[in-house]
Amino acid sequence: MAQRQPLPEQVDKTYGPFDLSTVPAFTGGFINFGYWRDIPVGRPLTGEDRLRTEQELYRVVLREFDRTVGLDAVDVGCGIGLGAALALREFGFGEVCGLDVHPEQLDRARYANAALLTELPSRLRYVCGAAESMPLPDLSVDCLYSVESAQHFPDMPGFADEAARVLRPGGRLAVATFFATSRHAARALPGLLPSYADRLDHPHVIGLFVEDLAAAGLRNVTARSIGEDVWAAYDRWLAQTPLEYLWPRRFLEAYETGLLDYYVVTADAATAR
């Protein structure tokens, strides 16, 4: 096992002994809220529906790259590695590095993807490291993406700087997660959602993250909302799923009251340095 870094208590608990990937709300193990645009309405949702939405969120992010075949990618906050495996299988990257700060998650990733690691040992790997201190060389990555992990990053300017450092000229970043819509919203969210109150999630403000990326030297920074294809349908899933605590359903309230939304953020590295 990789040398363990000190982790915030809730991050350590949630992704260590608790193992969030086993929670019914995240059926399939991808640990994301999902992209629900093509899921039929008017009938009960199935486990297959839920898994499809989690996979589709990765595809939405990975389609932000104009070209993927043969290129090198890093999945920042890869969890148990299913998204990195999907990226390799479906998008033809030359190499995918799944990066995660939690050693127990990496152990699960290597177990869950053992067959693919055996089949393609030179093209898939899982590495321990933090988003703001990636154990990767300068100018070593063509495509850097992160799916529903950045809400845990404690240092978004540091992450932006690291992304700019590791991306090759002409490389691209794509990040998907939920953000506070304003500074006021960031102050209000801990009073509504316990995951913010206990510091599992950080109420990063979308506009500030866009500024961080630009300040790091990345170009063409864009942020688009996909909340209409996330929150209401995800809440439908929660409504029919056994939950130990009911507070996760407050995410829909936070969205409907304008405190947070789900975004896909992209940025490009300079073509020459």
Side-chain angles (χ1 to χ4, degrees):
M1 179 181 292
Q3 184 177 358
R4 191 181 181 101
Q5 303 179 33
L7 297 173
E9 180 181 357
Q10 286 301 319
V11 172
D12 194 10
K13 175 183 176 182
T14 302
Y15 294 101
F18 182 67
D19 187 5
L20 192 62
S21 67
T22 65
V23 172
F26 297 114
T27 294
F30 279 80
I31 319 180
N32 67 60
F33 290 163
Y35 185 80
W36 299 78
R37 173 171 292 183
D38 296 325
I39 300 299
V41 298
R43 63 160 174 79
L45 298 167
T46 67
E48 290 76 15
D49 291 332
R50 182 67 182 103
L51 175 58
R52 179 180 163 193
T53 70
E54 293 174 286
Q55 294 169 329
E56 192 60 22
L57 184 58
Y58 272 89
R59 296 183 184 113
V60 165
V61 172
L62 293 167
R63 290 182 193 123
E64 294 291 338
F65 300 113
D66 294 333
R67 186 166 66 89
T68 57
V69 175
L71 299 184
D72 296 329
V74 59
D75 180 341
V76 183
C78 69
I80 66 170
L82 301 181
L86 181 151
L88 187 59
R89 286 193 181 102
E90 297 188 12
F91 288 81
F93 287 103
E95 178 183 327
V96 177
C97 172
L99 183 70
D100 202 275
V101 75
H102 206 305
E104 290 184 52
Q105 288 289 74
L106 293 167
D107 287 344
R108 295 179 184 117
R110 295 180 185 111
Y111 178 81
N113 302 286
L116 190 59
L117 286 165
T118 299
E119 178 186 353
L120 301 172
S122 65
R123 295 180 59 197
L124 179 64
R125 60 193 176 108
Y126 295 103
V127 174
C128 191
E132 65 276 10
S133 181
M134 301 182 202
L136 302 172
D138 294 354
L139 310 178
S140 61
V141 174
D142 301 297
C143 303
L144 186 152
Y145 67 93
S146 180
V147 177
E148 206 164 304
S149 296
Q151 74 277 6
H152 300 317
F153 300 168
D155 180 4
M156 293 298 264
F159 169 56
D161 288 341
E162 278 292 88
R165 179 184 68 81
V166 304
L167 281 170
R168 292 175 177 140
R172 188 166 173 81
L173 167 148
V175 173
T177 197
F178 46 98
F179 288 86
T181 56
S182 67
R183 287 183 171 91
H184 165 75
R187 291 191 293 270
L189 283 168
L192 180 65
L193 291 163
S195 62
Y196 287 112
D198 66 17
R199 304 292 288 174
L200 173 64
D201 298 327
H202 297 275
H204 299 306
V205 177
I206 184 61
L208 297 182
F209 181 49
V210 167
E211 292 176 7
D212 292 337
L213 294 171
L218 297 173
R219 301 179 176 183
N220 306 321
V221 184
T222 66
R224 65 182 176 91
S225 166
I226 59 169
E228 66 179 1
D229 294 310
V230 175
W231 299 113
Y234 176 67
D235 190 70
R236 276 183 60 214
W237 171 257
L238 293 181
Q240 67 174 57
T241 302
L243 299 174
E244 183 176 358
Y245 305 104
L246 293 179
W247 70 260
R249 300 198 63 190
R250 297 180 196 164
F251 275 101
L252 180 60
E253 178 184 347
Y255 169 62
E256 291 179 335
T257 56
L259 294 178
L260 62 72
D261 200 356
Y262 210 108
Y263 295 89
V264 175
V265 182
T266 60
D268 299 321
T271 55
R273 299 189 184 179

